[in-house]
Every structure is written in structure tokens, then in C-alpha cells.
Amino acid sequence: MSVYAEERRADRAADAEQRRIDQAAADARRVEREKAADERAARLNQQRQDERAQVREGRVRARAERRAARGEALTAGNVYRKGTLALVTASALGSLPAQVLHFVGISPMLLPLPLAIEGAAWVMAAGVAYADERHLPAWVRWFLRLLVLAAAGFAASINYTYGTHLPGLTVTDGQAAGIGLAAVTLLGPVLFEIRQWVTTLSADTNSPEERARRRHERKRRRQHRGIAQLADRFVSAAPFGQLDFEEAFAHAWEIETGTSTPGMTPRLHQRAARSAAALTGAQSAVTGPAPRRGWSIGGLFRRRPIDHTPATPNQDQSAETYVNRSTADLGVSAPAPITPPPAPAELEAAPAVSLVKPTGRVPAGVVAAESTRPRRATGRVPGAARSSRPARTADQLLTEARTATADWTDRELTAEGIRKAVRTSPAKARVLRETLRAEREQSAGTGEAAA
């Protein structure tokens, strides 16, 4: 009995454990099913939300597109274009019936005539637009405009005649009707032409650089017509697309002017060469600052030794210092130290350098000076007609100053007195004063040494 009871207990325990395991498995399956159901519900909910969001976005996008379409439709350009077309249509509807009634009243056989006249005006107006689109020559467009004006003017005259002769109207009403029909007839082609003109101008989307390039091209062809024509011949002689106009223009410029520098011509090259030669000569001849106006450059370099008695070394050095300081005011190099030369000899005069560009013509003053007949002044003589006063050299001025101040005392030997005596500039007078004082000091020192 004990063994059987134990087996029964073991069987019941095993059954209970199996039931527990089955229950746990069933609970797990139920949890999985609930989880899957929740996930499916959440997925469906998210899908519905996405669909509603897409619907809302679609509605917002549609409203934005409609708003943008209304904005584009109500822009100034669209209103102008569509309004012009509406006015042109109204013009055609107002002018064509009057022409038809006018010609049909004359004869039914003339029915195609108003259609041809009105159609010619509009076809020629469309031809103007086509010419603008194809960038045809200007004379083609103006010829088509003249045809438009002729057809529209003839139709307007017919409508004016028809309006003034309408039955049952007073004279004033008839004139108003005729003027109105004529104006409506002309209004359509004129508005269409103005619309085409404005459209053509607004379609010019070229950049400022492109417009500046076209202006430069027109100016270059106008100012250098011959060279541009030669460049065009080069381009036309070469195979198509093989030679660029800029390269051809450079070749033509070099052939015509002899230089590859743009803008340089033979005349400008000669002027540049003469200027360079004159500056080079002036720099090689002038060793100090530029001389003041009224002095002869060649005369400043004509130096002759001055006869002096021997002087002591200190006195010689003092005179040299005075002369160097004084000649610095004149802008020339200081002369050599004044020493008694063994034999006076004239130095060779340096050639005069002229900084004025020669013109190849004789000045009027020289011709007047060489004339044998005395010249009588009838008024203030212009500067170009006056006789030029010969410029005195430094040696000539010094000689005149020595003669004029021979009996002057040292106190009277001033720059102002010398300037008035020899009629020269203050700067030159100061140089002469220092030179004469140096000479007197040398003479005085020599006399004391001899005593």
C-alpha cells in the first residue's frame, strides 16, 4: 500500500507540474497575442495619422499653389499682356463689323475686303514680333510697321466715314461715332505694337558686362574704322571659326601702325622717343637742380678762369666756401677753387641744352628781330611777338658787375645794389656779391702780404 500511495502522489505531482507548465505556456501565448494586437493597433493608428498628415499637407500645398498661381496671374506683366490682348480683341470686334457693313452695303462681293484689310494689319503686326524674335535687321521691322500703319489707317478712315453717315444721328453724334470707330480701329494695332516693344526690351537679359562690351566694340569700330575693316577682311579670308576678331584686330593694328602695343601710333611713338631723348640729354647735362626761368642752361656752364693775385691758403679756402655756397642758389655745380693759373685760357663752352620740344618753325620773335624795317607798336605787344632778350652768361654778368662796382666801398657792395646796377635777378645778384667780396678779400690779403 505504501508503494502505491507514493506512486499516486508522484503521479499527481507530475500532473500538477504539467498543468502549471501548460498554464504558463498559455499565458505566454496570450501575452504574445496581446502584444501583437497592440502593435498592429499602434501601426494602424500611425498609418491613419500619416494619412491625415499627408492630406493636410496636400491641402496646404494645393492652397499655396493656388495662391502662387493667383499671384503669378496678377503680376504686372501678366496683367499687361493679357489686358493688351483683351483690348486688342475688343478693338477687332469693334472695327471689323463696321467695315463689313460698309463694304457689304456697297456690294456683297466686297465681303472679303474688310477681312483682308483687318487681317493684313494683324499679320504685319505679328511679322514685327517675328522679326524681333529672330533679331532681323531694323529696316525689316520698320517696313512691317509702315505696312501695319497703312492698313490700320485705311481701315480707320473707312470706319470714320461709316460712323459719320449712320442714319438717325445728329451731326455731333455722327462725328463722335466716326471718331470712336476710327480710334478703336487704330487702338488695337498700336497697343499690340507697344506690347511687343515693351516685351522685347524686357527680354533683354544681358549682363552689364555684355552691354559694356558691346559699347566698347561700337566705340572701337567708330574710332579705328580702317583697322577694324582690315581685321574684318582677315576674319572673312580665314576659314570659318579659325580666326578670332581680337587676334585679327591685333594683327591689323601692328600692320597699320608698326607696333603691337594697343593704342600706340607712329606719331605717338615719335613724340615718346623725342621726349625720352630730351629728358636723357637734360639729365646728362644738368648735374644740379633745374635752373630758374630766364637763365640759359648753356651759359651756366661757360666758366672762364678769373685773373687774381696769389692769396694765402686761408683766404683761398674762404673764397672757395663763399663761391660754393653762392652758386648753390643758382642750381649749378660749384666752380673750381680760384687759384692764379699760369696762363689764362678759355675753357670750351658746353653745348646749350634746350628742354623745349623743337617745332621745326622759326619763332615769330626771331623773324621780327631780323627785319630791317623798324616795328611800331600799336598797342600791348603779345609775348609771342616780343623780341627775346639775349641771356647773359655768368662770366658776362661778373664782368659787368666788376665794372659797375669798381669804385664802390665794401659797405655799398650789396646784392640789391648789384641787382639794380646790372639789372639781374636777386639770386644772381647774391652770387655776384659773394664772388666780388671774395675777390676783394683775396686782393686785400695779397696786398698785406706784399707789404
Side-chain angles (χ1 to χ4, degrees), residues 130-156:
Y130 180 77
D132 288 335
E133 180 182 354
R134 294 293 180 176
H135 302 286
L136 297 181
W139 69 268
V140 177
R141 285 171 279 182
W142 284 108
F143 179 70
L144 293 173
R145 289 189 180 101
L146 289 177
L147 294 179
V148 172
L149 183 61
F154 181 67

Side-chain angles (χ1 to χ4, degrees), residues 140-206:
V140 177
R141 285 171 279 182
W142 284 108
F143 179 70
L144 293 173
R145 289 189 180 101
L146 289 177
L147 294 179
V148 172
L149 183 61
F154 181 67
S157 64
I158 293 173
N159 285 341
Y160 177 78
T161 304
Y162 180 79
T164 54
H165 292 82
L166 285 176
L169 297 179
T170 61
V171 177
T172 304
D173 294 340
Q175 289 182 353
I179 294 174
L181 288 174
V184 166
T185 305
L186 292 174
L187 183 65
V190 169
L191 289 178
F192 187 82
E193 180 59 30
I194 294 175
R195 174 183 178 272
Q196 180 60 31
W197 181 38
V198 173
T199 304
T200 303
L201 291 179
S202 62
D204 187 10
T205 58
N206 293 328

Side-chain angles (χ1 to χ4, degrees), residues 26 75 216 344 445:
T75 58
H216 171 72

